[in-house]
Amino acid sequence: MDKRERIVSAAIEVFSEQGIEKTKISDIVKRAGIAQGTFYLYFPSKLSLMPAIAEVMVEKTLEIVQAKVSKSAPFPVRLDQLVDAIFEVSEEYHEMQALIYSGLASTEHLKKWETVYAPFYEWISESLEQAIEDEVIRDSVDPARTAKLVIGLVESAAEQIYLYDANKEDEAAVQKREVKQFLRFALSIHD
Amino acid sequence: MDKRERIVSAAIEVFSEQGIEKTKISDIVKRAGIAQGTFYLYFPSKLSLMPAIAEVMVEKTLEIVQAKVSKSAPFPVRLDQLVDAIFEVSEEYHEMQALIYSGLASTEHLKKWETVYAPFYEWISESLEQAIEDEVIRDSVDPARTAKLVIGLVESAAEQIYLYDANKEDEAAVQKREVKQFLRFALSIHD
Amino acid sequence: MDKRERIVSAAIEVFSEQGIEKTKISDIVKRAGIAQGTFYLYFPSKLSLMPAIAEVMVEKTLEIVQAKVSKSAPFPVRLDQLVDAIFEVSEEYHEMQALIYSGLASTEHLKKWETVYAPFYEWISESLEQAIEDEVIRDSVDPARTAKLVIGLVESAAEQIYLYDANKEDEAAVQKREVKQFLRFALSIHD
Amino acid sequence: MDKRERIVSAAIEVFSEQGIEKTKISDIVKRAGIAQGTFYLYFPSKLSLMPAIAEVMVEKTLEIVQAKVSKSAPFPVRLDQLVDAIFEVSEEYHEMQALIYSGLASTEHLKKWETVYAPFYEWISESLEQAIEDEVIRDSVDPARTAKLVIGLVESAAEQIYLYDANKEDEAAVQKREVKQFLRFALSIHD
DNA sequence: CATGAATGAGTTTTCATTCAT
DNA sequence: AATGAATGAAAACTCATTCAT
């Protein structure tokens, strides 16, 4: 109902469908079912939408990840669940990820992006710290830095599947298995 | 001399400098030193340049990587050199990577992108096969799939530095070290 | 006030003055006193104006014809008045007729053209029916079909004068007389 | 083989298919299988083609008419044959007729057009003169003027069919019959 | 004569932004 | 706050014409 929200989700839809470049403000307002002028009551430009969109995306990502990864499970299981979760998010939102990426890149909103993604990195980082403390992974792991590596690895692996591959279901399963193994070795998980 | 080439490299230059969105065809032709109409003899639109640019970019990447990675060195050294090379490419061309990414994403040229990246994947894949044969890495590694994981991991790690970080030099050094270690474990390198 | 109307009548004016080919959208909008972009709010292209112009033209034709042909006069007089009326319209709008013709021909709007001309055909057809009933013309006349023949004949006769002839005034008078006589015989008018 | 001829017939084809306005010189040369520059060796512009095209058209028309109308038959039969012939020409070349019409209208080649059509008018005119002399038609007929009326009438009748009607075959037969009768009365033919 | 890539002036077309309602 | 028609500056695109080969 809220106009601002309507604009943001309309933008997510049309950006995903036709790319940022090709999307006109008029496409967004048409989808949102509001008047052309109303857009400018909430956002000064097309690109100024990106932080708002990014926020929504990270929110959704965190929701899915936190729902999928069980707090009480042992770390190796949690890691597998994380991979599954990120693949799931990628499947649903892979276009958006590229969009946010390039959308933010072409603005000066990069700082914001880091901020927006921060809770996700934080959450992984804490898991890694705990795992080091519990001696389930090698103690040479730098939690903060590795959190980003893990997310980068898994996201790029997922994108490779959902952007390019034809037989996505099967491919995704194999790719997930490979990533999980890769990670297990990378972190030196001792079961 | 060749007009098409002139257009593509002019486009790489101006896209890097001002982003896709802000770049006008007239900027590209001015830089290329050709007439406006000539552009349309070779490309129907700004976005249709992206596959050609991607091709050039991958070419340059491969060149740098192959120059940096010594054929005769032992695998662990080669892996470190690969990381260094990809970080170097990212440093120089990180804007372009985001651009290609979003440029391709907003067109229907994704299929082409895979093709274009293929020689790079191939090259890494062969290195991994050799390493398995030489028993320097675990034999459970799937060469083709892992090649993509490795590239994805290193590229995303590099981007994290060059897109967002302020103190790039220092950060890059630390990040590289971290990635190298991560990879060494992930592939179970036996020195 | 209505912008669409302003565009159509401006187009009729400038098309008449300089031909379709030589007319730029900018000429039309200048004449209409509106902004360039406004044109595209109503028509996607120059040629897409043609059906709208045709409609206006037929309207004007009908107006002139109905003003010139007295309802109460005997049929032979009405026929002569019709000839005069069509010659008058041709004199004023002969460029437009060729333009509409070729303008419609070069689009896919031919179907529309028939629809647009329909009220004119109808009107003549009814007159002929009445004349048959009143036994002032031969009863072998097929009203609908003959309506079109009559209009076709008179229009082509008028065009011959106004398109090609130098001494139009005199020529028109002679040509009109000839057409009237031709028609009187063709319809077997019994005075 | 002759390049000039190749250009003219290619132009007839593409003009018919897409209209004069939408046709580019490049379309014509492509169809003609010659180089872009070669066009300018023969014609200075697109519209300067029109007289050459008109000439070809009238040539073809006269050929068909003279083949169809038997020299020795009585006048009423010859008149019927003329109607058939013009309908036949219209069926095959109706697009061209509109094109020549508007194409010449938009140039200063109108004088030429008259000249080009002259032999056709002449031919009909002579037939009418003979018919008057033979007392098969009313002697109030002005041969030259009526020749044009007859052609105008029959051509417009034919166009109505071939431009607009769906069921062309049947419609054409009825229309022809109507025109023949119309003409017979108009000229007061005494069998 | 013939070619066809290159040209760039001339047009069309777009679309973010405004503003009277 | 909301609207959406109108704007016009800016950009894309076209295509007749040229000219070196």
Side-chain angles (χ1 to χ4, degrees):
Chain A
M1 270 308 95
D2 173 58
K3 293 267 194 321
R4 205 191 117 98
E5 248 175 67
R6 294 247 298 270
I7 292 171
V8 173
S9 46
I12 290 178
E13 282 176 40
V14 292
F15 280 170
S16 298
E17 282 167 31
Q18 33 183 284
I20 296 180
E21 183 109 355
K22 282 189 197 153
T23 297
K24 297 166 260 175
I25 304 262
S26 67
D27 296 328
I28 298 172
V29 299
K30 228 172 277 161
R31 185 69 63 99
I34 58 163
Q36 189 87 354
T38 307
F39 181 89
Y40 293 90
L41 261 26
Y42 296 93
F43 297 96
S45 74
K46 196 170 72 177
L47 290 180
S48 66
L49 276 167
M50 294 319 297
I53 290 179
E55 228 161 304
V56 171
M57 289 303 308
V58 174
E59 227 168 77
K60 288 187 177 176
T61 302
L62 256 178
E63 264 170 38
I64 291 179
V65 168
Q66 288 172 343
K68 200 110 188 177
V69 179
S70 82
K71 268 200 137 75
S72 53
F75 184 78
V77 173
R78 285 164 54 82
L79 192 63
D80 283 5
Q81 290 170 335
L82 176 68
V83 172
D84 291 339
I86 294 181
F87 267 71
E88 192 181 313
V89 172
S90 258
E91 183 172 16
E92 199 160 357
Y93 298 113
H94 60 92
E95 304 101 330
M96 279 316 297
Q97 285 173 339
L99 293 174
I100 290 169
Y101 202 67
S102 64
L104 289 169
S106 55
T107 58
E108 266 69 52
H109 298 295
L110 281 173
K111 301 283 144 61
K112 269 203 170 169
W113 178 230
E114 274 274 83
T115 321
V116 145
Y117 230 121
F120 190 24
Y121 287 146
E122 190 86 4
W123 189 81
I124 307 284
S125 187
E126 280 166 14
S127 287
L128 290 170
E129 266 175 71
Q130 187 60 50
I132 295 169
E133 209 173 288
D134 298 348
E135 301 190 337
V136 272
I137 63 173
R138 61 181 160 95
D139 63 359
S140 59
V141 160
D142 172 330
R145 212 167 278 281
T146 304
K148 292 187 182 182
L149 291 187
V150 166
I151 294 178
L153 170 66
V154 184
E155 280 188 350
S156 82
E159 275 161 21
Q160 280 163 17
I161 296 308
Y162 296 117
L163 273 178
Y164 311 121
D165 268 302
N167 189 356
K168 299 184 188 211
E169 287 307 301
D170 293 0
E171 264 303 307
V174 185
Q175 182 87 327
K176 272 194 252 184
R177 205 179 320 128
E178 198 72 24
V179 173
K180 287 169 185 172
Q181 191 185 35
F182 195 89
L183 274 179
R184 214 164 292 127
F185 277 99
L187 300 172
S188 301
I189 294 184
H190 346 292
D191 306 82
Chain B
M1 268 306 94
D2 177 56
K3 294 277 196 301
R4 204 192 118 97
E5 251 174 63
R6 295 248 298 270
I7 292 170
V8 173
S9 39
I12 290 178
E13 282 174 41
V14 291
F15 279 172
S16 297
E17 283 168 31
Q18 35 184 287
I20 295 183
E21 190 115 355
K22 283 184 200 149
T23 297
K24 296 165 261 172
I25 305 271
S26 68
D27 296 330
I28 298 173
V29 299
K30 225 170 282 162
R31 184 70 62 101
I34 57 164
Q36 186 90 352
T38 306
F39 179 89
Y40 294 92
L41 253 32
Y42 296 93
F43 298 95
S45 72
K46 204 169 66 179
L47 288 181
S48 67
L49 274 168
M50 296 320 297
I53 289 181
E55 222 160 312
V56 171
M57 289 304 306
V58 173
E59 234 167 70
K60 287 188 177 177
T61 302
L62 250 179
E63 264 170 37
I64 291 178
V65 167
Q66 286 172 344
K68 199 111 190 176
V69 178
S70 83
K71 267 201 139 74
S72 52
F75 184 78
V77 173
R78 285 164 54 82
L79 193 63
D80 282 6
Q81 290 170 335
L82 176 69
V83 172
D84 291 340
I86 295 181
F87 268 72
E88 190 181 316
V89 171
S90 259
E91 183 172 16
E92 196 163 358
Y93 297 115
H94 62 92
E95 303 102 329
M96 280 314 297
Q97 284 173 338
L99 294 174
I100 290 169
Y101 204 65
S102 70
L104 288 169
S106 56
T107 58
E108 265 70 53
H109 299 296
L110 281 172
K111 301 281 143 61
K112 274 201 170 163
W113 180 232
E114 268 275 85
T115 321
V116 146
Y117 234 118
F120 192 22
Y121 288 147
E122 190 83 5
W123 189 81
I124 307 285
S125 186
E126 280 165 15
S127 287
L128 291 171
E129 266 176 72
Q130 188 59 50
I132 295 169
E133 210 173 285
D134 298 347
E135 302 191 335
V136 273
I137 63 173
R138 62 181 161 95
D139 64 359
S140 60
V141 160
D142 172 330
R145 212 167 276 280
T146 303
K148 293 186 180 182
L149 292 186
V150 166
I151 295 177
L153 169 66
V154 185
E155 282 189 346
S156 80
E159 278 160 17
Q160 279 162 18
I161 297 309
Y162 295 118
L163 272 178
Y164 309 121
D165 269 305
N167 189 356
K168 299 188 189 209
E169 285 309 299
D170 293 359
E171 263 304 306
V174 185
Q175 181 87 327
K176 270 196 255 183
R177 204 177 323 125
E178 196 71 25
V179 172
K180 286 171 185 171
Q181 190 185 38
F182 195 88
L183 273 179
R184 213 164 294 126
F185 278 99
L187 299 172
S188 301
I189 294 183
H190 347 293
D191 306 83
Chain C
M1 268 307 94
D2 177 56
K3 294 278 195 306
R4 203 191 121 98
E5 253 175 61
R6 294 247 298 269
I7 292 170
V8 172
S9 38
I12 290 178
E13 283 175 39
V14 291
F15 280 172
S16 298
E17 282 167 31
Q18 35 184 285
I20 294 183
E21 191 115 357
K22 283 184 201 151
T23 298
K24 295 164 264 172
I25 305 270
S26 67
D27 296 330
I28 298 172
V29 299
K30 226 170 281 163
R31 185 70 62 100
I34 57 163
Q36 188 87 355
T38 306
F39 179 89
Y40 294 91
L41 253 30
Y42 296 93
F43 299 96
S45 72
K46 204 169 68 178
L47 288 181
S48 67
L49 273 167
M50 296 319 297
I53 290 181
E55 221 160 311
V56 171
M57 290 304 305
V58 173
E59 232 166 73
K60 286 188 176 175
T61 304
L62 250 180
E63 264 170 37
I64 292 178
V65 167
Q66 286 172 344
K68 198 111 190 178
V69 179
S70 82
K71 269 204 135 77
S72 53
F75 184 78
V77 174
R78 287 163 52 82
L79 194 61
D80 282 5
Q81 290 170 334
L82 176 69
V83 172
D84 292 339
I86 294 181
F87 267 71
E88 191 181 315
V89 171
S90 260
E91 184 172 14
E92 197 163 355
Y93 298 114
H94 60 94
E95 303 102 329
M96 280 314 298
Q97 284 173 340
L99 293 176
I100 289 169
Y101 205 63
S102 69
L104 287 170
S106 54
T107 58
E108 266 70 53
H109 299 295
L110 282 171
K111 301 280 144 62
K112 274 203 169 163
W113 181 231
E114 268 276 85
T115 322
V116 146
Y117 234 119
F120 192 23
Y121 288 147
E122 189 83 4
W123 189 80
I124 307 285
S125 186
E126 279 165 17
S127 286
L128 291 171
E129 266 175 72
Q130 188 59 50
I132 295 169
E133 210 171 287
D134 298 348
E135 300 190 338
V136 273
I137 64 172
R138 62 182 162 93
D139 63 0
S140 60
V141 160
D142 173 331
R145 212 167 277 279
T146 303
K148 293 185 180 183
L149 291 185
V150 166
I151 294 177
L153 170 65
V154 185
E155 281 190 345
S156 81
E159 277 160 18
Q160 279 162 20
I161 296 309
Y162 296 117
L163 271 179
Y164 309 120
D165 269 303
N167 189 355
K168 301 188 186 207
E169 284 310 299
D170 293 0
E171 263 304 309
V174 186
Q175 182 85 329
K176 272 196 251 184
R177 205 180 320 126
E178 198 71 25
V179 172
K180 287 169 183 172
Q181 191 186 38
F182 194 88
L183 273 179
R184 213 164 293 126
F185 278 100
L187 299 172
S188 302
I189 294 184
H190 347 292
D191 304 79
Chain D
M1 274 309 94
D2 173 58
K3 293 267 193 322
R4 203 191 120 97
E5 249 175 67
R6 293 246 299 268
I7 292 170
V8 173
S9 43
I12 290 178
E13 282 175 40
V14 292
F15 281 169
S16 298
E17 282 167 29
Q18 32 181 289
I20 296 180
E21 182 110 356
K22 283 188 197 156
T23 298
K24 296 166 262 176
I25 306 262
S26 67
D27 295 330
I28 299 172
V29 299
K30 226 171 280 164
R31 186 69 63 100
I34 58 164
Q36 189 87 352
T38 307
F39 180 89
Y40 294 90
L41 261 25
Y42 296 93
F43 297 95
S45 73
K46 193 169 75 177
L47 290 180
S48 67
L49 275 167
M50 295 319 296
I53 290 179
E55 228 161 304
V56 171
M57 289 304 307
V58 173
E59 228 168 76
K60 287 188 177 175
T61 303
L62 256 178
E63 264 171 38
I64 290 177
V65 168
Q66 286 172 344
K68 199 111 190 178
V69 179
S70 84
K71 269 204 137 73
S72 53
F75 184 78
V77 173
R78 286 164 52 83
L79 194 62
D80 282 6
Q81 290 170 335
L82 177 69
V83 173
D84 292 339
I86 294 181
F87 267 71
E88 193 180 313
V89 172
S90 259
E91 184 171 14
E92 199 160 355
Y93 298 113
H94 60 93
E95 303 101 329
M96 280 315 297
Q97 286 173 337
L99 292 175
I100 290 169
Y101 201 67
S102 64
L104 288 168
S106 54
T107 59
E108 265 68 54
H109 298 293
L110 281 171
K111 300 284 143 61
K112 269 205 170 164
W113 178 232
E114 273 274 83
T115 322
V116 146
Y117 231 123
F120 189 27
Y121 287 146
E122 190 87 3
W123 189 81
I124 307 285
S125 185
E126 279 166 15
S127 286
L128 290 170
E129 265 176 72
Q130 189 58 51
I132 295 168
E133 210 172 287
D134 298 348
E135 300 190 338
V136 272
I137 63 172
R138 63 183 161 93
D139 63 359
S140 60
V141 159
D142 172 332
R145 213 167 277 279
T146 304
K148 292 186 182 185
L149 291 187
V150 167
I151 294 177
L153 171 65
V154 186
E155 281 189 347
S156 81
E159 275 161 19
Q160 279 162 18
I161 297 307
Y162 296 118
L163 272 178
Y164 311 120
D165 268 302
N167 188 355
K168 303 191 183 206
E169 285 309 299
D170 294 1
E171 263 303 306
V174 185
Q175 182 86 327
K176 273 195 250 185
R177 205 179 320 127
E178 198 72 24
V179 172
K180 287 168 183 173
Q181 190 186 38
F182 195 88
L183 273 179
R184 214 164 293 128
F185 278 99
L187 299 171
S188 300
I189 294 184
H190 346 291
D191 306 79

